[in-house]
Amino acid sequence: MTAPAQWVAGARPRTLPAAVAPVLAGTGVAAYVDEPVWWKALLALVVSLALQVGVNYANDYSDGVRGTDDDRVGPMRLVGSGAAPAAAVKRAAFLAFGVAAAAGLVLAATTAWWLVAVGAVSVLAAWYYTGGDKPYGYLGLGEVMVFVFFGLVAVVGTTFVQTETFEPAALAASVGIGALACAILVVNNLRDIPTDTVAGKRTLAVLLGDPRTRALYAALVALAALAVVGVAALTTWWALLGLGFLVAALPGLRVVGGGATGPGLVPVLQATGTAELVWSVLVAAPLLVR
């Protein structure tokens, strides 16, 4: 029987800041332009967290049954390690998607019904990242999915359900959040270049190669810094406090720039997730106390 601790590990808790950060950023913008609607912000957080957990389990399942995780370098995978049956991990993924759908339906019913279509596309994107016959995560498109759904959709959507308006500041914030969410995936795939190449998983890191993937990581951090300036220009210059995220990002930049490989890159996942969370807190705080 799979231990509870193994299910928690399989949910990849180090990636969860990437689900919290967009909701914080979007709520900050909502507070600046109008008033935050806290119960909707909480539901948006449930949707974001459940989707993140769902895509993590779905990735575990799909990579596991394909054999991609047979020779893991990073943290344990449930299916690849044999810790849990593939069918059970698949059920866990769809249970998480179900939680996201339930919370999303409430938001749609109280805001706009077209949000149901957005939610449905988000779930499909989460599943087909590594699922289906032609997963787009195996074609170098994973970063696009992360930027769109954990950046643009998550931040702009969080603001919209509270204000029912599309705000330029939310778009600027979504670029910063999306860039750092992409950076998490980039360093994950940088670590896995050797094993993904053997398994035939053509991630963006595999396509770019090691040196250019490291440069991409640095470019995404720089884009996140530029996005802070964009948010400040559209709201209040106090939002420039968000540049403090660079303090949290510097350790990861040093490790990636220093040429670390394999297990040496694992701490960068947590460091980048922390940097994303700090970005959202420091940008949102002055918007909330305007």
Side-chain angles (χ1 to χ4, degrees):
M1 181 176 292
T2 310
Q6 291 175 308
W7 282 110
V8 172
R12 306 183 201 177
R14 289 180 179 176
T15 67
L16 296 185
V20 176
V23 178
L24 286 175
T27 300
V29 175
Y32 183 82
V33 300
D34 193 1
E35 291 291 337
V37 182
W38 292 110
W39 68 269
K40 285 190 173 184
L42 181 59
L43 281 177
L45 180 61
V46 170
V47 172
S48 189
L49 285 169
L51 280 176
Q52 181 69 64
V53 171
V55 75
N56 288 344
Y57 281 137
N59 177 246
D60 190 309
Y61 165 78
S62 297
D63 279 350
V65 296
R66 281 189 171 87
T68 308
D69 284 344
D70 287 351
D71 186 20
R72 285 289 301 171
V73 175
M76 181 271 298
R77 294 293 180 261
L78 293 167
V79 177
S81 68
V89 177
K90 185 178 182 179
R91 284 195 299 271
F94 279 93
L95 176 61
F97 291 148
V99 171
L105 280 173
V106 176
L107 286 173
T110 55
T111 308
W113 281 109
W114 57 263
L115 290 172
V116 172
V118 175
V121 172
S122 299
V123 171
L124 288 173
W127 175 254
Y128 285 104
Y129 169 50
T130 53
D133 294 331
K134 294 182 178 180
Y136 62 85
Y138 282 54
L139 302 174
L141 297 174
E143 284 76 7
V144 175
M145 174 269 194
V146 166
F147 186 83
V148 170
F149 291 99
F150 286 96
L152 299 178
V153 172
V155 177
V156 174
T158 296
T159 301
F160 181 81
V161 297
Q162 296 179 67
T163 65
E164 298 192 28
T165 58
F166 289 102
E167 299 297 330
L171 182 60
S174 73
V175 171
I177 293 296
L180 290 173
C182 280
I184 296 173
L185 182 58
V186 165
V187 77
N188 179 81
N189 291 341
L190 172 64
R191 179 199 66 205
D192 291 342
I193 285 178
T195 54
D196 284 346
T197 300
V198 171
K201 185 176 182 179
R202 294 173 61 81
T203 63
L204 184 59
V206 170
L207 296 174
L208 290 177
D210 186 287
R212 284 185 288 183
T213 300
R214 294 178 191 275
L216 175 60
Y217 179 84
L220 288 167
V221 174
L223 179 59
L226 288 174
V228 173
V229 179
V231 174
L234 292 165
T235 55
T236 169
W237 291 110
W238 283 106
L240 289 175
L241 289 171
L243 291 174
F245 89 94
L246 289 168
V247 175
L250 282 175
L253 283 168
R254 282 197 294 266
V255 172
V256 172
T261 59
L265 289 167
V266 172
V268 184
L269 292 170
Q270 185 169 3
T272 310
T274 300
E276 183 181 355
L277 188 60
V278 171
W279 191 105
S280 66
V281 170
L282 294 181
V283 169
L287 303 183
L288 286 164
V289 298
R290 64 185 172 85

